[in-house]
Amino acid sequence: MRKLKTSQKVVFAAGVVGVLIGIFGRFNAWEYASYFAFFYSGSTMMWIAFLPQKKSCRNPFKRKSVQKS
């Protein structure tokens, strides 16, 4: 597993808290609309923490410069 920056750790921790609130609400008979938002947003935040940095992303649709001879 790779090292995470502090901001990525914060986002991941917030995601874990959101998922735990969602699971807690599911088993305490909350309405679906009440607990699913926490669960869904928490799992999304956990996923976002592992996305690559902007510097390492490349744009396959970006035009390449033409070299003149």
Side-chain angles (χ1 to χ4, degrees):
M1 193 164 169
R2 67 182 196 190
K3 295 234 178 194
L4 298 176
K5 293 183 180 180
T6 304
S7 59
Q8 289 172 312
K9 289 178 186 177
V10 169
V11 170
F12 185 75
V16 169
V17 169
V19 168
L20 291 176
I21 291 172
I23 291 171
F24 177 77
R26 169 69 175 102
F27 290 109
N28 282 323
W30 291 2
E31 290 184 26
Y32 180 78
S34 298
Y35 72 84
F36 186 74
F38 287 106
F39 182 79
Y40 183 76
S41 60
S43 61
T44 302
M45 290 175 92
M46 289 171 56
W47 173 75
I48 286 173
F50 292 101
L51 287 176
Q53 297 299 319
K54 187 171 185 158
K55 290 184 248 175
S56 65
C57 293
R58 66 179 192 89
N59 186 356
F61 301 107
K62 187 176 180 181
R63 290 186 180 191
K64 297 181 181 178
S65 61
V66 177
Q67 295 180 353
K68 294 182 181 180
S69 46

PDB file of all heavy atoms in Angstrom, residues 12-30:
ATOM      1  N   PHE A  12      -9.946   9.999   3.882  1.00  0.00           N
ATOM      2  CA  PHE A  12     -10.195   8.588   4.133  1.00  0.00           C
ATOM      3  C   PHE A  12     -10.863   8.384   5.501  1.00  0.00           C
ATOM      4  O   PHE A  12     -11.813   7.605   5.624  1.00  0.00           O
ATOM      5  CB  PHE A  12      -8.883   7.801   4.065  1.00  0.00           C
ATOM      6  CG  PHE A  12      -9.066   6.324   4.190  1.00  0.00           C
ATOM      7  CD1 PHE A  12      -9.566   5.592   3.133  1.00  0.00           C
ATOM      8  CD2 PHE A  12      -8.753   5.665   5.362  1.00  0.00           C
ATOM      9  CE1 PHE A  12      -9.747   4.228   3.238  1.00  0.00           C
ATOM     10  CE2 PHE A  12      -8.926   4.309   5.485  1.00  0.00           C
ATOM     11  CZ  PHE A  12      -9.423   3.575   4.416  1.00  0.00           C
ATOM     12  N   ALA A  13     -10.378   9.095   6.532  1.00  0.00           N
ATOM     13  CA  ALA A  13     -10.973   8.975   7.866  1.00  0.00           C
ATOM     14  C   ALA A  13     -12.421   9.470   7.870  1.00  0.00           C
ATOM     15  O   ALA A  13     -13.294   8.856   8.509  1.00  0.00           O
ATOM     16  CB  ALA A  13     -10.147   9.758   8.873  1.00  0.00           C
ATOM     17  N   ALA A  14     -12.696  10.561   7.161  1.00  0.00           N
ATOM     18  CA  ALA A  14     -14.073  11.052   7.067  1.00  0.00           C
ATOM     19  C   ALA A  14     -14.956  10.032   6.358  1.00  0.00           C
ATOM     20  O   ALA A  14     -16.124   9.845   6.720  1.00  0.00           O
ATOM     21  CB  ALA A  14     -14.108  12.384   6.334  1.00  0.00           C
ATOM     22  N   GLY A  15     -14.399   9.355   5.370  1.00  0.00           N
ATOM     23  CA  GLY A  15     -15.146   8.309   4.677  1.00  0.00           C
ATOM     24  C   GLY A  15     -15.457   7.137   5.581  1.00  0.00           C
ATOM     25  O   GLY A  15     -16.567   6.588   5.556  1.00  0.00           O
ATOM     26  N   VAL A  16     -14.496   6.734   6.392  1.00  0.00           N
ATOM     27  CA  VAL A  16     -14.723   5.627   7.331  1.00  0.00           C
ATOM     28  C   VAL A  16     -15.809   5.992   8.332  1.00  0.00           C
ATOM     29  O   VAL A  16     -16.707   5.190   8.637  1.00  0.00           O
ATOM     30  CB  VAL A  16     -13.407   5.252   8.048  1.00  0.00           C
ATOM     31  CG1 VAL A  16     -13.662   4.304   9.203  1.00  0.00           C
ATOM     32  CG2 VAL A  16     -12.423   4.643   7.063  1.00  0.00           C
ATOM     33  N   VAL A  17     -15.766   7.223   8.832  1.00  0.00           N
ATOM     34  CA  VAL A  17     -16.800   7.683   9.775  1.00  0.00           C
ATOM     35  C   VAL A  17     -18.176   7.673   9.103  1.00  0.00           C
ATOM     36  O   VAL A  17     -19.171   7.237   9.700  1.00  0.00           O
ATOM     37  CB  VAL A  17     -16.450   9.083  10.327  1.00  0.00           C
ATOM     38  CG1 VAL A  17     -17.618   9.680  11.089  1.00  0.00           C
ATOM     39  CG2 VAL A  17     -15.222   9.007  11.203  1.00  0.00           C
ATOM     40  N   GLY A  18     -18.252   8.128   7.860  1.00  0.00           N
ATOM     41  CA  GLY A  18     -19.521   8.120   7.136  1.00  0.00           C
ATOM     42  C   GLY A  18     -20.066   6.716   6.930  1.00  0.00           C
ATOM     43  O   GLY A  18     -21.268   6.467   7.099  1.00  0.00           O
ATOM     44  N   VAL A  19     -19.197   5.786   6.583  1.00  0.00           N
ATOM     45  CA  VAL A  19     -19.635   4.395   6.396  1.00  0.00           C
ATOM     46  C   VAL A  19     -20.111   3.808   7.722  1.00  0.00           C
ATOM     47  O   VAL A  19     -21.133   3.111   7.776  1.00  0.00           O
ATOM     48  CB  VAL A  19     -18.499   3.551   5.787  1.00  0.00           C
ATOM     49  CG1 VAL A  19     -18.815   2.067   5.866  1.00  0.00           C
ATOM     50  CG2 VAL A  19     -18.261   3.949   4.342  1.00  0.00           C
ATOM     51  N   LEU A  20     -19.396   4.095   8.796  1.00  0.00           N
ATOM     52  CA  LEU A  20     -19.808   3.582  10.106  1.00  0.00           C
ATOM     53  C   LEU A  20     -21.154   4.154  10.545  1.00  0.00           C
ATOM     54  O   LEU A  20     -21.986   3.431  11.112  1.00  0.00           O
ATOM     55  CB  LEU A  20     -18.736   3.881  11.153  1.00  0.00           C
ATOM     56  CG  LEU A  20     -17.428   3.105  10.986  1.00  0.00           C
ATOM     57  CD1 LEU A  20     -16.405   3.564  12.013  1.00  0.00           C
ATOM     58  CD2 LEU A  20     -17.676   1.613  11.093  1.00  0.00           C
ATOM     59  N   ILE A  21     -21.389   5.434  10.284  1.00  0.00           N
ATOM     60  CA  ILE A  21     -22.704   6.025  10.591  1.00  0.00           C
ATOM     61  C   ILE A  21     -23.787   5.357   9.755  1.00  0.00           C
ATOM     62  O   ILE A  21     -24.881   5.063  10.252  1.00  0.00           O
ATOM     63  CB  ILE A  21     -22.685   7.552  10.359  1.00  0.00           C
ATOM     64  CG1 ILE A  21     -21.817   8.229  11.405  1.00  0.00           C
ATOM     65  CG2 ILE A  21     -24.101   8.125  10.391  1.00  0.00           C
ATOM     66  CD1 ILE A  21     -21.591   9.704  11.154  1.00  0.00           C
ATOM     67  N   GLY A  22     -23.483   5.096   8.487  1.00  0.00           N
ATOM     68  CA  GLY A  22     -24.455   4.415   7.627  1.00  0.00           C
ATOM     69  C   GLY A  22     -24.780   3.018   8.111  1.00  0.00           C
ATOM     70  O   GLY A  22     -25.952   2.603   8.124  1.00  0.00           O
ATOM     71  N   ILE A  23     -23.770   2.270   8.517  1.00  0.00           N
ATOM     72  CA  ILE A  23     -23.999   0.913   9.030  1.00  0.00           C
ATOM     73  C   ILE A  23     -24.771   0.966  10.348  1.00  0.00           C
ATOM     74  O   ILE A  23     -25.688   0.163  10.580  1.00  0.00           O
ATOM     75  CB  ILE A  23     -22.659   0.173   9.189  1.00  0.00           C
ATOM     76  CG1 ILE A  23     -22.058  -0.107   7.811  1.00  0.00           C
ATOM     77  CG2 ILE A  23     -22.831  -1.120   9.969  1.00  0.00           C
ATOM     78  CD1 ILE A  23     -20.652  -0.644   7.848  1.00  0.00           C
ATOM     79  N   PHE A  24     -24.410   1.916  11.213  1.00  0.00           N
ATOM     80  CA  PHE A  24     -25.121   2.084  12.480  1.00  0.00           C
ATOM     81  C   PHE A  24     -26.594   2.394  12.231  1.00  0.00           C
ATOM     82  O   PHE A  24     -27.481   1.816  12.874  1.00  0.00           O
ATOM     83  CB  PHE A  24     -24.465   3.216  13.281  1.00  0.00           C
ATOM     84  CG  PHE A  24     -25.164   3.530  14.571  1.00  0.00           C
ATOM     85  CD1 PHE A  24     -24.997   2.716  15.671  1.00  0.00           C
ATOM     86  CD2 PHE A  24     -25.975   4.650  14.676  1.00  0.00           C
ATOM     87  CE1 PHE A  24     -25.641   3.003  16.868  1.00  0.00           C
ATOM     88  CE2 PHE A  24     -26.616   4.955  15.853  1.00  0.00           C
ATOM     89  CZ  PHE A  24     -26.446   4.128  16.964  1.00  0.00           C
ATOM     90  N   GLY A  25     -26.858   3.290  11.293  1.00  0.00           N
ATOM     91  CA  GLY A  25     -28.246   3.637  10.977  1.00  0.00           C
ATOM     92  C   GLY A  25     -29.005   2.480  10.362  1.00  0.00           C
ATOM     93  O   GLY A  25     -30.206   2.308  10.615  1.00  0.00           O
ATOM     94  N   ARG A  26     -28.338   1.678   9.571  1.00  0.00           N
ATOM     95  CA  ARG A  26     -29.002   0.525   8.941  1.00  0.00           C
ATOM     96  C   ARG A  26     -29.488  -0.462   9.987  1.00  0.00           C
ATOM     97  O   ARG A  26     -30.597  -0.983   9.914  1.00  0.00           O
ATOM     98  CB  ARG A  26     -28.011  -0.156   7.980  1.00  0.00           C
ATOM     99  CG  ARG A  26     -28.442  -1.502   7.463  1.00  0.00           C
ATOM    100  CD  ARG A  26     -29.625  -1.370   6.525  1.00  0.00           C
ATOM    101  NE  ARG A  26     -29.972  -2.635   5.949  1.00  0.00           N
ATOM    102  CZ  ARG A  26     -30.980  -3.390   6.343  1.00  0.00           C
ATOM    103  NH1 ARG A  26     -31.758  -2.993   7.329  1.00  0.00           N
ATOM    104  NH2 ARG A  26     -31.250  -4.525   5.743  1.00  0.00           N
ATOM    105  N   PHE A  27     -28.657  -0.725  10.978  1.00  0.00           N
ATOM    106  CA  PHE A  27     -29.025  -1.719  11.984  1.00  0.00           C
ATOM    107  C   PHE A  27     -29.833  -1.153  13.134  1.00  0.00           C
ATOM    108  O   PHE A  27     -30.267  -1.911  14.005  1.00  0.00           O
ATOM    109  CB  PHE A  27     -27.776  -2.434  12.505  1.00  0.00           C
ATOM    110  CG  PHE A  27     -27.180  -3.342  11.466  1.00  0.00           C
ATOM    111  CD1 PHE A  27     -25.978  -3.028  10.864  1.00  0.00           C
ATOM    112  CD2 PHE A  27     -27.843  -4.483  11.060  1.00  0.00           C
ATOM    113  CE1 PHE A  27     -25.430  -3.849   9.887  1.00  0.00           C
ATOM    114  CE2 PHE A  27     -27.314  -5.311  10.090  1.00  0.00           C
ATOM    115  CZ  PHE A  27     -26.103  -4.996   9.509  1.00  0.00           C
ATOM    116  N   ASN A  28     -30.078   0.148  13.146  1.00  0.00           N
ATOM    117  CA  ASN A  28     -30.952   0.747  14.146  1.00  0.00           C
ATOM    118  C   ASN A  28     -32.267   1.212  13.546  1.00  0.00           C
ATOM    119  O   ASN A  28     -32.935   2.084  14.089  1.00  0.00           O
ATOM    120  CB  ASN A  28     -30.255   1.917  14.845  1.00  0.00           C
ATOM    121  CG  ASN A  28     -29.288   1.426  15.879  1.00  0.00           C
ATOM    122  OD1 ASN A  28     -29.547   0.448  16.562  1.00  0.00           O
ATOM    123  ND2 ASN A  28     -28.160   2.093  15.998  1.00  0.00           N
ATOM    124  N   ALA A  29     -32.613   0.650  12.414  1.00  0.00           N
ATOM    125  CA  ALA A  29     -33.911   0.844  11.766  1.00  0.00           C
ATOM    126  C   ALA A  29     -34.183   2.295  11.382  1.00  0.00           C
ATOM    127  O   ALA A  29     -35.291   2.788  11.510  1.00  0.00           O
ATOM    128  CB  ALA A  29     -35.044   0.302  12.643  1.00  0.00           C
ATOM    129  N   TRP A  30     -33.146   3.007  10.900  1.00  0.00           N
ATOM    130  CA  TRP A  30     -33.383   4.320  10.329  1.00  0.00           C
ATOM    131  C   TRP A  30     -34.047   4.125   8.980  1.00  0.00           C
ATOM    132  O   TRP A  30     -33.981   3.068   8.384  1.00  0.00           O
ATOM    133  CB  TRP A  30     -32.083   5.063  10.124  1.00  0.00           C
ATOM    134  CG  TRP A  30     -31.364   5.503  11.371  1.00  0.00           C
ATOM    135  CD1 TRP A  30     -31.731   5.278  12.658  1.00  0.00           C
ATOM    136  CD2 TRP A  30     -30.139   6.227  11.419  1.00  0.00           C
ATOM    137  NE1 TRP A  30     -30.808   5.815  13.506  1.00  0.00           N
ATOM    138  CE2 TRP A  30     -29.823   6.407  12.775  1.00  0.00           C
ATOM    139  CE3 TRP A  30     -29.287   6.730  10.458  1.00  0.00           C
ATOM    140  CZ2 TRP A  30     -28.677   7.082  13.191  1.00  0.00           C
ATOM    141  CZ3 TRP A  30     -28.147   7.409  10.869  1.00  0.00           C
ATOM    142  CH2 TRP A  30     -27.860   7.587  12.220  1.00  0.00           C
TER     143      TRP A  30
END
